[in-house]
Amino acid sequence: MGFMTKKAFITGITGQDGAYLTHLLLTKGYEVHGLMRRTSQFNNARIQELCGHLPLPGGASLEERLFLHYGDSTDSLNITTLVEDIQPDEIYNLAAQSHVKVSFEMPVYTCDVDALGTLRILEAVRQARLTEKTHVYQASTSELFGKVQEIPQTEKTPFYPRSPYGVAKLFAYWMTVNYRESYGMFASNGILFNHESPFRGETFVTRKITLAVARILNGLQSHLELGNMDAKRDWGHARDFVEAMWRILQHDEPGDFIIATGEQHSVREFVTLAFEFVGIPIRWEGTGLEEVGIARVPFLSADGKAVGFVPGHGLGNVPMEERVVVKVNPDFFRPAEVETLLGNPEKSRSVLGWNAQTSFPQLVHEMMEYDLRKIHAD
Ligand code: NAP
Ligand code: G4F
């Protein structure tokens, strides 16, 4: 009998996790279908960069294995039609308005996409009579724990979301459980803690930091403005975390799994490590709104051209000065903050055999290296 290619349908394929998951599934021989929003310019740069030159099993071409479909999580008919047409073995529901701060500004839209969008997927599977065939992965989040009721958080820790995003994801979490219990669907929640990469959106704190530090080291930006630097997160690498998503859908039974590293760091520690990557120490002075980070860095470039740190060569003889490189800006505070998140990944370790592979310093280094090269490539 011939080898059967599995079909996966990924919503949110153009995002950070969508791109890494596409890479993983293509290398495993899957036929990958993705939901892509119509935008005025092509929005598939991450997929292109990660998967454009990927050797595929059996010598298949990318065109034979990857199919992008226009659509939107807010459009029920579109979602139902796509699920019926594709008849996927696996659905990874990653599409979301995923920015916590933006969710305070767009709560209704965030709920439409993140809460009802999940229901649309689950219901599309039911309407298409695929409940016995299709395994569904729901991109749940550590934001469900919000004002944490227990440290570290496990699958049994009570939820206390702190943003419209968190509340929308709570609805999606329970809908996933409900379709599993009501219709016997293989529908699982991955409760993922923060995961980052060089493909992280530029307004999330880690990427905002690595891009800004790369610019400061090249005289292109005077300083970086941040909100709550005391916030602590359990930061892992997206490449490791999409492997966990896949394992969740290959397991014998559906369920809910914490995916985390089990280690937490503050935003301030992330900044410190980003500067230390190029051997520059940062000194923290003051408290609260008056807190600043001071470092010896290149002067601002007079003509807007990158001067300073060249990957592979270091800082060279570029003139340096000591100045404030980090300030606090209350515009980046949230109406309600999630101060601390720390996951206990014991269940995913013992049941799925999953472990985070990338350490915190390795993550910061990879992001810094990418952004320093990007500055010189742009
Ligand atoms: P991301 O980079 O922001 O990607 C979100 C994806 O959703 C993008 O492809 C985006 O499309 C798409 N999308 C947004 N609104 C949509 C809509 N109305 N219809 C269809 N697609 C839409 O997020 P990510 O970091 O990859 O995260 C993936 C998922 O995991 C999200 O559900 C997120 O909430 C969840 N999650 C993330 C983390 C984390 O730390 N990264 C942790 C826990 C859970 P465009 O490219 O067109 O914007
Ligand atoms: O990078 P963030 O914006 O990520 P946040 O809010 O933790 O959400 C991310 O992780 C969730 C999983 O826990 C996902 F579900 C969600 O989709 C998203 O991927 O902020 C991290 C922390 C926050 O405490 C924030 O207040 O950093 C703090 N922060 C301090 N200054 C900042 C900034 N965050 C941003 N985005 N920008 C700042 O200038």
Side-chain angles (χ1 to χ4, degrees), residues 98 141-142 165 194 200 203 205 208 227-228 231 233 334 337:
S98 71
T141 164
S142 48
Y165 169 80
N194 298 51
R200 185 55 143 154
T203 59
V205 79
K208 180 175 168 181
N228 177 13
R233 290 292 183 272
R334 291 150 190 210
E337 173 64 301

Side-chain angles (χ1 to χ4, degrees), residues 14-17 37 43 72-73 94 98 109 165 169 192 195:
T14 55
Q16 170 189 255
D17 292 5
R37 292 197 283 183
N43 181 23
D72 199 293
S73 298
L94 310 185
S98 71
Y109 175 73
Y165 169 80
K169 287 282 189 177
L192 271 56
H195 46 281

Side-chain angles (χ1 to χ4, degrees), residues 155-183:
E155 287 80 3
K156 295 201 166 66
T157 302
F159 297 135
Y160 194 142
R162 291 273 278 173
S163 62
Y165 169 80
V167 175
K169 287 282 189 177
L170 186 67
F171 174 99
Y173 172 95
W174 282 115
M175 262 314 164
T176 303
V177 173
N178 186 252
Y179 270 63
R180 181 166 80 216
E181 293 177 351
S182 305
Y183 306 117

Side-chain angles (χ1 to χ4, degrees), residues 7-294:
K7 277 191 208 175
F9 178 39
I10 305 176
T11 72
I13 195 165
T14 55
Q16 170 189 255
D17 292 5
Y20 278 103
L21 182 62
T22 301
H23 182 281
L24 178 77
L25 297 183
L26 287 173
T27 57
K28 289 186 182 295
Y30 277 64
E31 179 177 307
V32 177
H33 294 256
L35 183 75
M36 186 176 69
R37 292 197 283 183
R38 192 269 155 187
T39 44
S40 66
Q41 288 195 315
F42 274 125
N43 181 23
N44 58 357
R46 288 177 172 118
I47 305 172
Q48 272 304 329
E49 196 172 331
L50 270 177
C51 309
H53 303 287
L54 197 59
L56 300 181
S61 69
L62 196 59
E63 292 70 34
E64 289 172 303
R65 285 285 182 263
L66 177 62
F67 302 88
L68 298 177
H69 307 267
Y70 281 120
D72 199 293
S73 298
T74 59
D75 182 342
S76 303
L77 192 54
N78 163 256
I79 296 294
T80 307
T81 307
L82 283 173
V83 170
E84 267 173 4
D85 287 352
I86 297 166
Q87 301 266 311
D89 298 289
E90 296 170 10
I91 297 180
Y92 296 86
N93 185 37
L94 310 185
Q97 191 302 90
S98 71
H99 203 283
V100 173
K101 177 144 194 297
V102 171
S103 81
F104 287 98
E105 282 144 44
M106 304 175 72
V108 175
Y109 175 73
T110 301
C111 289
D112 197 352
V113 180
D114 299 12
L116 292 179
T118 305
L119 175 56
R120 289 182 184 104
I121 287 285
L122 294 164
E123 188 56 12
V125 171
R126 197 171 75 91
Q127 293 295 331
R129 298 193 166 76
L130 290 171
T131 48
E132 287 181 17
K133 168 185 165 104
T134 306
H135 291 196
V136 179
Y137 172 87
Q138 168 54 19
S140 285
T141 164
S142 48
E143 278 291 305
L144 295 175
F145 298 116
K147 189 170 175 183
V148 297
Q149 303 295 294
E150 179 178 38
I151 297 175
Q153 293 84 56
T154 73
E155 287 80 3
K156 295 201 166 66
T157 302
F159 297 135
Y160 194 142
R162 291 273 278 173
S163 62
Y165 169 80
V167 175
K169 287 282 189 177
L170 186 67
F171 174 99
Y173 172 95
W174 282 115
M175 262 314 164
T176 303
V177 173
N178 186 252
Y179 270 63
R180 181 166 80 216
E181 293 177 351
S182 305
Y183 306 117
M185 270 173 66
F186 193 113
S188 295
N189 285 291
I191 307 171
L192 271 56
F193 283 62
N194 298 51
H195 46 281
E196 320 293 313
S197 74
F199 294 96
R200 185 55 143 154
E202 295 179 7
T203 59
F204 295 96
V205 79
T206 57
R207 189 76 198 290
K208 180 175 168 181
I209 293 168
T210 57
L211 266 172
V213 174
R215 289 177 60 81
I216 290 167
L217 294 174
N218 279 285
L220 296 172
Q221 183 171 329
S222 72
H223 66 279
L224 161 68
E225 294 188 356
L226 291 170
N228 177 13
M229 288 195 281
D230 292 320
K232 291 199 176 91
R233 290 292 183 272
D234 179 332
W235 276 302
H237 197 302
R239 189 176 45 227
D240 299 343
F241 280 42
V242 299
E243 164 83 24
M245 295 178 187
W246 178 76
R247 287 188 186 217
I248 286 171
L249 291 199
Q250 312 315 306
H251 188 53
D252 304 338
E253 293 168 8
D256 307 312
F257 297 88
I258 296 258
I259 306 297
T261 70
E263 195 181 304
Q264 67 172 186
H265 299 273
S266 68
V267 170
R268 191 180 296 97
E269 279 176 79
F270 196 106
V271 177
T272 304
L273 209 56
F275 276 103
E276 275 177 5
F277 171 70
V278 289
I280 294 186
I282 183 162
R283 193 172 81 242
W284 297 100
E285 287 185 4
T287 54
L289 290 176
E290 306 307 321
E291 182 172 3
V292 290
I294 298 167

